[in-house]
Amino acid sequence: MNWRLTGRYMVSVIIVTIITVFINLFIFMFWLVFQANSQHDEESTPETFTRSFRQYVTLSDNGITVNKEGQKALKEQNAWIQILDENGQDVYHDREPKGLKKKYTPIEIINLHKYKDEQLLSTIYAGGKKVNGKEYSYFIGFKNPSLGKYVLSYDTKEFVTKFNAGTIILLSIDALIALLIGYLFSRQLTKPLGRVIQGIQRLANGDYTIKMKSKGIYKDVFYNVNHLSKQLSSSKKEKDKLEQMREEWISHISHDIKTPLASIQGYAEIIQDPNYHLTVEQIREYAQIIESKSLYMKDVMEDLNLTTRLKNNDVMLHTERVNLVSLLRETLIDMLNDSRYADKSIELQTNVEKLMLNLDAILIRRAVTNLILNALVHNDADVKIVVQLEQKERTHVTIKDNGKGIEEEELEKVFDRYYRGTNTGTTHAGSGLGMAIAKDIIQKHGGDITIQSTAGEGTTIDIQLS
């Protein structure tokens, strides 16, 4: 994997380098052509000045000469002039340097024009003009030490051949350099990527103990991989915890269902057995026990079904305008009318008689009932429960008790599915889903539910509805 990444990166570097070289060559050649054209177009270049100087060469009574405009131009250019006749004899000069010869042979004329004369300390250009049928040649020397002139001779065919060979060599060298640099850089760039890929593979295999150092250009990637590892580790712990609670819940439910089933089966067998001569009162008593155990099993199955539907968002709310005060009062009256809770202290406190909200009355009744039953089950028989209704920015339904309270480490588990508190009485058998169902119902209505508790002082549950 690392070599594959390195190879891809190196190929990319080489391609970019070659393209860059071609672009640079194109730009350089274009610049040379542009410079050549621009120099030809400029009138101030020495070559152009020399060619155009013939306009200043005139014939006077004293012979060939340079007019005043030409002399002024020579002074401005810091240049001198020497005019020769057809025999190479000096016939005119102006601003000439020391050591200037009076007569030149043809080869000397060629060399003087072709090469820079170190003795005269000048760069010399040549021109010519025909006056009265006679050819005159002239030299103009520029006393500019920074000015140079070189004559280049080349064979076009050989130049093209060497240029092509040089281009191939240059590209090959550039490719080798790019290969070396690309390899060195790619090792630095792809090595961290290899670590990231290995880390992701470990995550995919279920290893969530990854912790990479967040540094370098990929520090954000390392940070996010570490963050993902923590999230997955947390999710796994939560999943394991939920699975453990589910297994415990199944174990408890199995036990809780087996007990009433055994009772139902036992009393049914007694009623059915002809060897037992039961009175009508005994039959009714046994039937009542069978009914009670059946209702308990029915409640457990309904809790399981409802929590599954709530978890899967498969419960549709049948909302209507409901007087919450009346709903709470009826819920508490129904509970107190139950013989099991007739002697319990459950009180409703409210300063209003009518508070209309859009609610699913059946589900809200179920949620409040579950919360009150939870307070009854997990506390002593003399516990006092107060249900308060207040209208603030939102509607608050508060359920308070003065019971045993809940330990801090258990407080965050209260609304978990399948959780059964440690304060549950030995005679109580429940599904362990009541608090989770209550929370899901409140949240389904767009509300919030919070719990506060102090061990030995009691518990307060606050429901907020809009």
Side-chain angles (χ1 to χ4, degrees):
M1 180 63 70
N2 289 344
W3 278 108
R4 196 181 307 169
L5 290 172
T6 302
R8 289 177 180 175
Y9 180 79
M10 290 169 62
V11 170
S12 300
V13 170
I14 292 173
I15 293 174
V16 170
T17 302
I18 293 174
I19 293 174
T20 303
V21 170
F22 273 112
I23 292 174
N24 289 337
L25 286 175
F26 176 77
I27 293 175
F28 179 69
M29 294 177 66
F30 177 79
W31 180 80
L32 286 178
V33 173
F34 177 77
Q35 289 294 319
N37 290 335
S38 63
Q39 286 185 358
H40 283 302
D41 294 339
E42 293 178 2
E43 296 182 356
S44 59
T45 61
E47 188 174 0
T48 304
F49 177 82
T50 301
R51 283 200 306 268
S52 62
F53 195 81
R54 67 181 64 188
Q55 61 182 316
Y56 303 123
V57 177
T58 60
L59 186 64
S60 65
D61 296 338
N62 297 327
I64 201 76
T65 185
V66 174
N67 61 25
K68 291 183 179 181
E69 290 80 2
Q71 294 174 2
K72 182 179 179 182
L74 288 171
K75 187 175 181 180
E76 290 175 353
Q77 292 289 334
N78 191 23
W80 54 268
I81 187 170
Q82 183 179 34
I83 301 177
L84 306 177
D85 61 14
E86 294 173 339
N87 298 319
Q89 182 67 42
D90 182 315
V91 294
Y92 178 83
H93 52 262
D94 183 33
R95 297 174 54 82
E96 72 282 2
K98 293 181 179 179
L100 188 65
K101 298 178 68 173
K102 299 297 183 181
K103 183 174 176 59
Y104 297 89
T105 63
I107 190 63
E108 287 177 333
I109 293 174
I110 293 172
N111 288 335
L112 190 64
H113 170 65
K114 190 174 181 181
Y115 304 108
K116 185 172 183 178
D117 195 315
E118 299 295 339
Q119 182 180 357
L120 300 177
L121 300 176
S122 302
T123 300
I124 301 171
Y125 292 85
K129 184 175 182 179
K130 189 174 184 179
V131 181
N132 289 342
K134 294 183 178 181
E135 292 288 346
Y136 292 92
S137 302
Y138 59 85
F139 295 127
I140 296 181
F142 294 86
K143 301 177 182 179
N144 185 354
S146 63
L147 181 63
K149 183 180 68 170
Y150 301 94
V151 178
L152 179 63
S153 299
Y154 61 90
D155 184 338
T156 304
K157 185 177 180 181
E158 183 180 359
F159 173 78
V160 171
T161 302
K162 290 183 177 180
F163 178 80
N164 292 336
T167 302
I168 294 173
I169 293 172
L170 178 63
L171 291 177
S172 301
I173 294 174
D174 288 342
L176 289 174
I177 295 174
L179 191 64
L180 178 60
I181 295 175
Y183 174 76
L184 295 176
F185 274 95
S186 63
R187 290 291 295 171
Q188 295 297 321
L189 292 174
T190 58
K191 187 176 180 181
L193 284 178
R195 290 171 52 205
V196 172
I197 293 172
Q198 291 177 358
I200 294 175
Q201 289 175 341
R202 287 174 59 188
L203 290 177
N205 294 330
D207 181 4
Y208 306 136
T209 60
I210 297 171
K211 189 173 182 181
M212 299 180 175
K213 293 182 179 179
S214 299
K215 62 179 182 178
I217 60 176
Y218 299 115
K219 63 180 181 180
D220 291 337
V221 178
F222 291 141
Y223 171 81
N224 284 295
V225 171
N226 291 336
H227 181 66
L228 177 60
S229 176
K230 291 179 181 178
Q231 292 291 102
L232 291 174
S233 177
S234 177
S235 298
K236 185 176 183 298
K237 290 179 181 178
E238 189 68 24
K239 181 181 177 182
D240 293 342
K241 171 185 166 186
L242 191 61
E243 183 64 22
Q244 181 182 359
M245 292 174 63
R246 188 183 68 85
E247 290 177 359
E248 292 176 356
W249 176 81
I250 291 174
S251 175
H252 292 153
I253 288 296
S254 298
H255 177 269
D256 292 343
I257 290 179
K258 282 179 182 178
T259 302
L261 272 176
S263 298
I264 292 172
Q265 183 179 2
Y267 286 113
E269 289 175 353
I270 291 173
I271 295 172
Q272 186 181 13
D273 194 335
N275 295 323
Y276 287 94
H277 302 285
L278 302 175
T279 64
V280 174
E281 288 76 11
Q282 287 177 321
I283 293 175
R284 287 179 178 175
E285 180 185 352
Y286 295 164
Q288 185 178 5
I289 293 173
I290 292 173
E291 181 186 22
S292 174
K293 299 301 182 182
S294 300
L295 289 174
Y296 165 73
M297 292 174 61
K298 177 174 174 285
D299 289 342
V300 171
M301 293 301 103
E302 286 181 350
D303 281 354
L304 181 59
N305 178 55
L306 181 57
T307 190
T308 302
R309 292 174 59 203
L310 286 168
K311 181 180 178 181
N312 296 330
N313 200 26
D314 192 33
V315 175
M316 296 295 294
L317 295 181
H318 301 286
T319 59
E320 56 183 342
R321 296 294 289 177
V322 177
N323 183 359
L324 186 56
V325 179
S326 299
L327 179 62
L328 293 175
R329 184 176 289 117
E330 291 170 4
T331 301
L332 268 58
I333 291 173
D334 288 344
M335 291 190 69
L336 291 173
N337 286 336
D338 189 326
S339 58
R340 295 172 296 176
Y341 312 117
D343 60 341
K344 302 300 181 182
S345 176
I346 307 174
E347 178 185 354
L348 175 63
Q349 294 180 355
T350 177
N351 55 4
V352 294
E353 286 300 321
K354 190 174 183 181
L355 183 58
M356 305 301 293
L357 294 176
N358 286 321
L359 302 172
D360 186 318
I362 296 176
L363 290 179
I364 290 295
R365 180 192 292 265
R366 179 69 175 274
V368 173
T369 301
N370 285 358
L371 296 174
I372 295 175
L373 286 176
N374 185 76
L376 293 172
V377 167
H378 291 82
N379 291 297
D380 296 332
D382 59 348
V383 65
K384 294 182 179 180
I385 300 174
V386 177
V387 180
Q388 292 180 335
L389 176 61
E390 292 181 282
Q391 179 63 47
K392 300 178 181 178
E393 291 183 1
R394 304 178 76 183
T395 301
H396 290 256
V397 179
T398 306
I399 302 172
K400 297 181 180 179
D401 68 64
N402 61 347
K404 300 176 182 179
I406 304 172
E407 296 293 339
E408 185 176 353
E409 59 270 16
E410 295 186 17
L411 203 57
E412 60 182 15
K413 305 176 185 177
V414 168
F415 292 112
D416 290 347
R417 287 179 175 80
Y418 319 125
Y419 179 71
R420 289 183 173 187
T422 55
N423 292 335
T424 303
T426 55
T427 60
H428 173 71
S431 66
L433 297 171
M435 296 293 282
I437 290 174
K439 181 180 179 180
D440 288 341
I441 290 173
I442 299 303
Q443 290 181 340
K444 187 75 174 177
H445 281 78
D448 296 314
I449 183 169
T450 58
I451 184 169
Q452 295 179 344
S453 185
T454 304
E457 296 183 9
T459 302
T460 301
I461 297 177
D462 183 28
I463 301 172
Q464 300 177 33
L465 297 170
S466 300

